[in-house]
Each structure stands twice: as structure tokens, then as C-alpha cells.
Amino acid sequence: MVPLLLVLLLILILFGAGFAVKILWWIAIIVLVLWLIGFVARPKSGNGRWYRW
């Protein structure tokens, strides 16, 4: 009974980690797209930075 519970727990952990990694990939892609848009659409005057920091 204990090995069956351990296998089920391992499956749940791996499923949860896979879901979290998939969400993190989507967040990384969105941030990359926003950064590229900001890099292309930056103002030509001043120091050329589109962000404040």
C-alpha cells in the first residue's frame, strides 16, 4: 500500500511541477515579447532607454 501511495504522490508532484514550468515558460515568453517591443519602439531622443531604471 505504501509504494502505491508513494507512486501516486510522485505523479502528483511531477504533474504539478510540469504545470508550473509551463506557466513559467509562458510568462518568460510574454516578458521577452514586451522587452523586444520596448527595444524596437524606444525613443530616439535622450539616452534611448524606454524603461525608467
Side-chain angles (χ1 to χ4, degrees):
M1 184 71 177
V2 172
L4 179 64
L5 289 176
L6 288 175
V7 169
L8 288 175
L9 182 63
L10 182 65
I11 290 171
L12 285 174
I13 290 172
L14 291 176
F15 176 75
F19 186 72
V21 167
K22 187 173 183 179
I23 287 180
L24 289 175
W25 269 108
W26 280 110
I27 291 172
I29 290 171
I30 290 170
V31 168
L32 177 66
V33 167
L34 289 176
W35 180 77
L36 287 174
I37 289 172
F39 185 75
V40 171
R42 67 182 177 198
K44 300 297 183 206
S45 62
N47 56 9
R49 291 189 306 173
W50 61 273
Y51 49 86
R52 293 187 174 266
W53 43 272

